[in-house]
Amino acid sequence: YEIFFDEFEKVPDLKRGAYLYIRLIHRWPDDLIEIRTKERLIQSEWRQVTFTYDGSGKASGLQLYLDGKPAEVEVRRPSVSGPITTSAPLEIGDKALGNPYKGQLGDLRLYNRPLRAGEIEQLAIHYPIRTTLADASDKRTKEQRDRLREYFLSYDAPERFRRLHAELRRLKADKEELDKVVPTVMVMEEMEKPRETAVLGRGDYRNRGEKVTPGVPAVLPPLPKGAPANRLTLARWLADPSHPLTARVAVNRFWALYFGAGLVKTAEDFGSQGEPPSHPDLLDWLATEFVRTGWDARAMQRLVVTSATYRQSSRVTPELLEKDPENRLLARASRFRLPAETVRDNALAVSGLLYEKLGGPSVFPYQPKGLWEDIAYGDVYSAQSYTPGHGKDLYRRSMYTFWKRTSPPPSLNTFDAPDREKCTARRPVTNTPLQALVLLNDPTYVEAARALAQRMITEGGKDPDRRIAFAFRLATDRKPTPEELKILRELARQDSATYRSDKGAALKLVQVGESEPNPKLDASELAAWTTVASAILNLDETITRE
C-alpha cells in the first residue's frame, strides 16, 4: 500500500496544503484502490492518520480516519482484482525515485485486524496522553503541559467543566472566524519605558541638548493631575468640555460648509496669525452647544440649516455688496460654488444615476486614458495603470473615488479638490474655463445629461416647456424665466433638426458612458434633449450654492 501527499497547492487562506492519498495496489498503474481526502491538509501541522481495510477488494472496505475521526474521502479507483500482498520490505519514502521521507513521524503501528472506531479514537487521543504522562512532570515541555490540560478539560474533568470548556472552544472558533473578516489597520502602542527625547543642536541627532518631556501649551488647560502623559490622555484632554479650542474649531468648520467661510475665516489657523472671529459670541455659543449635546455633529448640522441666518435669500443690493462683499456680516445667504465632490454628486443625483450605497471599497470612475502610465515608475510600484470600474461603481459618491496622490482625479482637481499631499482645512475656490470644459465634455457629465434628458422625456411630458421646467426644478430648485424657456426651447428645436439629419452623431452622443440609453426613445430626440440637459447642468445656479 502507499500513503502520500500530492504536490503542494494554494488554498483559499493562502496556507499551503496537499491532499492525502491512500492506495492499495495489485498491479500499477491499472489495478488498485485509491481514495483521496476531500480537504487539503497543512503538512506543517501534526495529524494522526489511521486507515483500515477489510480485504473486500473494494474502496468501500477502506476507511480513513484523521485525528481519530472519520475523514470525508473521494474515491478515485473503486476496486482491485487481486491481492495486495508483496514480498518487498516496508519503505518510507518515494518508491519510484528513491527519495527519503521529508518530515517527522511520531509513531507507526500495524494491526492484523480492522480496528473499531473507539479503538482508533483511543489511539489518536489517549495514547499520546499516556506517553506524555510517562515522562517526569519536571521534564515536560510547555506544549506537553498544554496538551494534558486540554485533554483533562475535554475528557476527564467533571461534566460541568467539560461543558464550559466546549463552549469556550466554540466561542474562540467563532472569534477566529470573525477576526478573518474584520479589516485590520496599523496602530501604535505606548512603549513600556518611554524613549528619552532631547533638543537636537542644529537638528543633529548626535548633538543632544536639553531633555524634553510631553506636555501641552501653558496658555491652555493643563493635563489632568496624575494622568500619564500619553496619547490617550491627550485625546481625553482635547475632548474635555473645559477645553476652549476643540469645539470651536469643529463648529467653525461646520459653519464654513454652509456659508463658504467660517466665523473664523482662517479655519486652519486659530492662533495669533489667524483672523479673529467675525461673531465671537456666536462662535462661543455654538461651541458650548456642541459640547452640551454630547458632541452630536448631526444635531449641529440641523441647528445651522434651520437657523434664520442660513434660510435668508442670497439676493444682495449694490450698497450691501459694496459694504460687505464677502458677507462677513451675514446679512444674506452666502453664495459660493459647490465643492468638487458635490458638483459631481449633484449631477449624478439630478440625473438619477447616483448609487447611494454606503461603505465598501474605493471605486474607479471615468478618467482620461494614460494619466497614470505617464507618471509610472516601474513595475515595483502599485497602481501603475488605471482601469475604470463598471456598473454601479461608476455612479458612487465621489468620496469613494480611488485617489492616487501623484495623479489626483482630474475632474475633481479641476474644481479645486486638493491633491492630498498635505492636510487642507480650507480649499481655494476658483472659476476657470477648464471647469466649463469638464462639465461639457467629461463622460460623467455627458452621461448624466443623457440620463437627465431621458427623465425629461419620460417624466416631464410631451410639451417642451414642461420638460425644460421639470429639469430646471431638479437642477436649480426653481422654475425657469420666460427668457430662459425661450432660449432652451430654441436650442432643443435646432439640435433636434441637426441630429435628425445626422443619425450617427446622435448615436455617438447618447452612447457615451456605460449605462444603456432607453431603447424606446428616438436617438435623435434623446440627443437633442441631452444637449439641453447639459446646458442646464452647466448653469451657474446648478453648481453654486444660492
Short mmCIF file of all heavy atoms in Angstrom, two decimals, residues 220-222 224 233-248 283-295:
data_model
loop_
_atom_site.label_atom_id
_atom_site.label_comp_id
_atom_site.label_asym_id
_atom_site.label_seq_id
_atom_site.Cartn_x
_atom_site.Cartn_y
_atom_site.Cartn_z
N LEU A 220 -3.18 76.92 27.55
CA LEU A 220 -4.36 76.06 27.55
C LEU A 220 -4.44 75.31 28.88
O LEU A 220 -3.45 75.25 29.62
CB LEU A 220 -4.29 75.07 26.39
CG LEU A 220 -4.35 75.69 24.98
CD1 LEU A 220 -4.13 74.63 23.91
CD2 LEU A 220 -5.68 76.40 24.75
N PRO A 221 -5.60 74.72 29.19
CA PRO A 221 -5.72 73.98 30.45
C PRO A 221 -4.67 72.89 30.55
O PRO A 221 -4.29 72.29 29.53
CB PRO A 221 -7.13 73.39 30.38
CG PRO A 221 -7.87 74.27 29.43
CD PRO A 221 -6.87 74.73 28.43
N PRO A 222 -4.17 72.60 31.76
CA PRO A 222 -3.15 71.56 31.92
C PRO A 222 -3.75 70.17 31.77
O PRO A 222 -4.97 69.99 31.83
CB PRO A 222 -2.64 71.79 33.34
CG PRO A 222 -3.81 72.38 34.06
CD PRO A 222 -4.53 73.24 33.04
N PRO A 224 -4.77 66.45 33.09
CA PRO A 224 -5.28 66.04 34.41
C PRO A 224 -4.14 65.60 35.33
O PRO A 224 -3.18 64.96 34.89
CB PRO A 224 -6.21 64.87 34.08
CG PRO A 224 -6.59 65.08 32.65
CD PRO A 224 -5.40 65.70 31.99
N THR A 233 -4.35 60.16 27.17
CA THR A 233 -4.59 61.34 28.00
C THR A 233 -4.76 62.58 27.13
O THR A 233 -5.62 63.43 27.39
CB THR A 233 -3.42 61.54 28.98
OG1 THR A 233 -3.34 60.39 29.85
CG2 THR A 233 -3.62 62.78 29.82
N LEU A 234 -3.94 62.68 26.07
CA LEU A 234 -4.06 63.83 25.17
C LEU A 234 -5.43 63.84 24.49
O LEU A 234 -6.06 64.91 24.37
CB LEU A 234 -2.96 63.76 24.11
CG LEU A 234 -3.00 64.86 23.04
CD1 LEU A 234 -2.81 66.24 23.67
CD2 LEU A 234 -1.94 64.60 21.97
N ALA A 235 -5.93 62.67 24.06
CA ALA A 235 -7.24 62.60 23.42
C ALA A 235 -8.35 63.03 24.38
O ALA A 235 -9.26 63.77 24.01
CB ALA A 235 -7.50 61.18 22.92
N ARG A 236 -8.25 62.58 25.65
CA ARG A 236 -9.26 62.97 26.64
C ARG A 236 -9.16 64.46 26.95
O ARG A 236 -10.19 65.12 27.17
CB ARG A 236 -9.06 62.14 27.90
CG ARG A 236 -9.48 60.68 27.73
CD ARG A 236 -9.08 59.83 28.91
NE ARG A 236 -9.61 58.47 28.80
CZ ARG A 236 -9.21 57.44 29.52
NH1 ARG A 236 -8.23 57.60 30.41
NH2 ARG A 236 -9.74 56.24 29.35
N TRP A 237 -7.96 64.98 26.93
CA TRP A 237 -7.77 66.41 27.18
C TRP A 237 -8.38 67.24 26.05
O TRP A 237 -9.02 68.26 26.29
CB TRP A 237 -6.27 66.68 27.31
CG TRP A 237 -5.88 68.13 27.44
CD1 TRP A 237 -5.96 68.91 28.55
CD2 TRP A 237 -5.33 68.95 26.40
NE1 TRP A 237 -5.49 70.17 28.28
CE2 TRP A 237 -5.10 70.23 26.97
CE3 TRP A 237 -5.00 68.74 25.07
CZ2 TRP A 237 -4.56 71.27 26.23
CZ3 TRP A 237 -4.47 69.78 24.34
CH2 TRP A 237 -4.25 71.03 24.92
N LEU A 238 -8.21 66.80 24.81
CA LEU A 238 -8.76 67.53 23.67
C LEU A 238 -10.29 67.55 23.71
O LEU A 238 -10.92 68.53 23.30
CB LEU A 238 -8.29 66.88 22.36
CG LEU A 238 -6.85 67.13 21.95
CD1 LEU A 238 -6.47 66.24 20.77
CD2 LEU A 238 -6.64 68.60 21.59
N ALA A 239 -10.91 66.45 24.17
CA ALA A 239 -12.37 66.36 24.18
C ALA A 239 -12.97 66.76 25.53
O ALA A 239 -14.17 66.57 25.74
CB ALA A 239 -12.80 64.94 23.84
N ASP A 240 -12.17 67.31 26.41
CA ASP A 240 -12.68 67.77 27.71
C ASP A 240 -13.61 68.97 27.50
O ASP A 240 -13.28 69.89 26.75
CB ASP A 240 -11.51 68.15 28.62
CG ASP A 240 -11.96 68.37 30.05
OD1 ASP A 240 -12.71 69.35 30.29
OD2 ASP A 240 -11.59 67.57 30.92
N PRO A 241 -14.79 69.00 28.12
CA PRO A 241 -15.72 70.13 27.93
C PRO A 241 -15.11 71.48 28.27
O PRO A 241 -15.55 72.51 27.73
CB PRO A 241 -16.87 69.79 28.89
CG PRO A 241 -16.83 68.30 29.01
CD PRO A 241 -15.38 67.92 28.96
N SER A 242 -14.10 71.50 29.14
CA SER A 242 -13.48 72.79 29.52
C SER A 242 -12.42 73.24 28.51
O SER A 242 -11.90 74.34 28.63
CB SER A 242 -12.85 72.67 30.91
OG SER A 242 -11.79 71.74 30.90
N HIS A 243 -12.12 72.39 27.52
CA HIS A 243 -11.10 72.76 26.53
C HIS A 243 -11.66 73.89 25.66
O HIS A 243 -12.73 73.75 25.07
CB HIS A 243 -10.73 71.56 25.67
CG HIS A 243 -9.46 71.74 24.91
ND1 HIS A 243 -9.35 72.62 23.86
CD2 HIS A 243 -8.24 71.17 25.05
CE1 HIS A 243 -8.13 72.58 23.37
NE2 HIS A 243 -7.43 71.70 24.09
N PRO A 244 -10.95 75.00 25.53
CA PRO A 244 -11.52 76.16 24.83
C PRO A 244 -11.41 76.10 23.31
O PRO A 244 -11.97 76.96 22.62
CB PRO A 244 -10.67 77.32 25.36
CG PRO A 244 -9.33 76.70 25.63
CD PRO A 244 -9.62 75.29 26.11
N LEU A 245 -10.69 75.11 22.77
CA LEU A 245 -10.36 75.17 21.34
C LEU A 245 -11.08 74.13 20.50
O LEU A 245 -11.59 74.45 19.42
CB LEU A 245 -8.85 75.02 21.17
CG LEU A 245 -8.26 75.40 19.80
CD1 LEU A 245 -8.58 76.85 19.48
CD2 LEU A 245 -6.75 75.17 19.80
N THR A 246 -11.14 72.88 20.96
CA THR A 246 -11.60 71.78 20.10
C THR A 246 -13.01 72.02 19.55
O THR A 246 -13.25 71.91 18.34
CB THR A 246 -11.57 70.45 20.87
OG1 THR A 246 -10.26 70.26 21.42
CG2 THR A 246 -11.91 69.29 19.95
N ALA A 247 -13.95 72.34 20.42
CA ALA A 247 -15.33 72.53 19.97
C ALA A 247 -15.45 73.73 19.05
O ALA A 247 -16.22 73.72 18.08
CB ALA A 247 -16.25 72.71 21.18
N ARG A 248 -14.67 74.78 19.31
CA ARG A 248 -14.73 75.98 18.45
C ARG A 248 -14.21 75.68 17.04
O ARG A 248 -14.78 76.13 16.05
CB ARG A 248 -13.94 77.12 19.09
CG ARG A 248 -14.64 77.77 20.27
CD ARG A 248 -13.75 78.76 20.99
NE ARG A 248 -14.49 79.48 22.03
CZ ARG A 248 -14.77 78.99 23.22
NH1 ARG A 248 -14.35 77.76 23.53
NH2 ARG A 248 -15.44 79.68 24.10
N LEU A 283 -19.75 82.22 17.98
CA LEU A 283 -18.82 81.09 17.97
C LEU A 283 -18.77 80.41 19.33
O LEU A 283 -18.80 79.18 19.43
CB LEU A 283 -17.42 81.57 17.56
CG LEU A 283 -16.33 80.50 17.51
CD1 LEU A 283 -16.63 79.47 16.42
CD2 LEU A 283 -14.96 81.14 17.26
N ASP A 284 -18.74 81.22 20.40
CA ASP A 284 -18.71 80.65 21.75
C ASP A 284 -19.99 79.85 22.03
O ASP A 284 -19.95 78.75 22.60
CB ASP A 284 -18.56 81.76 22.79
CG ASP A 284 -17.17 82.38 22.77
OD1 ASP A 284 -16.27 81.79 22.15
OD2 ASP A 284 -16.99 83.46 23.36
N TRP A 285 -21.13 80.41 21.63
CA TRP A 285 -22.39 79.72 21.91
C TRP A 285 -22.49 78.41 21.15
O TRP A 285 -22.91 77.39 21.70
CB TRP A 285 -23.57 80.63 21.55
CG TRP A 285 -24.90 79.97 21.84
CD1 TRP A 285 -25.52 79.84 23.05
CD2 TRP A 285 -25.73 79.30 20.88
NE1 TRP A 285 -26.68 79.13 22.92
CE2 TRP A 285 -26.85 78.79 21.60
CE3 TRP A 285 -25.65 79.07 19.52
CZ2 TRP A 285 -27.87 78.08 20.98
CZ3 TRP A 285 -26.65 78.37 18.89
CH2 TRP A 285 -27.75 77.88 19.62
N LEU A 286 -22.11 78.42 19.87
CA LEU A 286 -22.15 77.19 19.09
C LEU A 286 -21.24 76.13 19.69
O LEU A 286 -21.59 74.94 19.74
CB LEU A 286 -21.73 77.48 17.64
CG LEU A 286 -22.73 78.24 16.78
CD1 LEU A 286 -22.09 78.62 15.45
CD2 LEU A 286 -23.99 77.41 16.55
N ALA A 287 -20.07 76.54 20.18
CA ALA A 287 -19.13 75.58 20.76
C ALA A 287 -19.70 74.96 22.02
O ALA A 287 -19.63 73.74 22.22
CB ALA A 287 -17.80 76.27 21.05
N THR A 288 -20.27 75.78 22.89
CA THR A 288 -20.85 75.24 24.14
C THR A 288 -22.07 74.39 23.84
O THR A 288 -22.34 73.40 24.53
CB THR A 288 -21.22 76.39 25.10
OG1 THR A 288 -22.11 77.30 24.44
CG2 THR A 288 -19.97 77.14 25.55
N GLU A 289 -22.83 74.74 22.80
CA GLU A 289 -23.99 73.94 22.42
C GLU A 289 -23.54 72.57 21.89
O GLU A 289 -24.18 71.55 22.15
CB GLU A 289 -24.79 74.68 21.35
CG GLU A 289 -26.14 74.08 21.06
CD GLU A 289 -27.14 74.24 22.21
OE1 GLU A 289 -26.82 74.92 23.21
OE2 GLU A 289 -28.23 73.65 22.10
N PHE A 290 -22.43 72.57 21.16
CA PHE A 290 -21.88 71.32 20.64
C PHE A 290 -21.50 70.39 21.79
O PHE A 290 -21.80 69.19 21.77
CB PHE A 290 -20.67 71.64 19.76
CG PHE A 290 -20.15 70.48 18.97
CD1 PHE A 290 -20.98 69.46 18.53
CD2 PHE A 290 -18.80 70.41 18.64
CE1 PHE A 290 -20.48 68.39 17.78
CE2 PHE A 290 -18.30 69.35 17.90
CZ PHE A 290 -19.14 68.34 17.47
N VAL A 291 -20.87 70.94 22.82
CA VAL A 291 -20.49 70.14 23.98
C VAL A 291 -21.73 69.69 24.74
O VAL A 291 -21.84 68.54 25.18
CB VAL A 291 -19.54 70.93 24.89
CG1 VAL A 291 -19.25 70.15 26.17
CG2 VAL A 291 -18.23 71.26 24.17
N ARG A 292 -22.70 70.62 24.91
CA ARG A 292 -23.91 70.30 25.68
C ARG A 292 -24.70 69.15 25.06
O ARG A 292 -25.28 68.33 25.79
CB ARG A 292 -24.80 71.55 25.77
CG ARG A 292 -26.03 71.38 26.68
CD ARG A 292 -27.00 72.54 26.53
NE ARG A 292 -27.62 72.55 25.22
CZ ARG A 292 -28.63 71.75 24.86
NH1 ARG A 292 -29.12 70.87 25.72
NH2 ARG A 292 -29.15 71.84 23.66
N THR A 293 -24.69 69.05 23.75
CA THR A 293 -25.45 67.98 23.07
C THR A 293 -24.66 66.67 22.99
O THR A 293 -25.08 65.74 22.29
CB THR A 293 -25.83 68.42 21.64
OG1 THR A 293 -24.64 68.72 20.91
CG2 THR A 293 -26.75 69.62 21.68
N GLY A 294 -23.53 66.61 23.68
CA GLY A 294 -22.74 65.39 23.65
C GLY A 294 -21.94 65.24 22.37
O GLY A 294 -21.78 64.14 21.86
N TRP A 295 -21.46 66.33 21.83
CA TRP A 295 -20.67 66.35 20.59
C TRP A 295 -21.46 65.70 19.44
O TRP A 295 -20.93 64.95 18.63
CB TRP A 295 -19.32 65.62 20.77
CG TRP A 295 -18.50 66.13 21.92
CD1 TRP A 295 -18.60 65.76 23.21
CD2 TRP A 295 -17.48 67.15 21.86
NE1 TRP A 295 -17.69 66.45 23.98
CE2 TRP A 295 -16.98 67.30 23.17
CE3 TRP A 295 -16.91 67.90 20.84
CZ2 TRP A 295 -15.96 68.21 23.49
CZ3 TRP A 295 -15.90 68.79 21.15
CH2 TRP A 295 -15.44 68.95 22.46
#
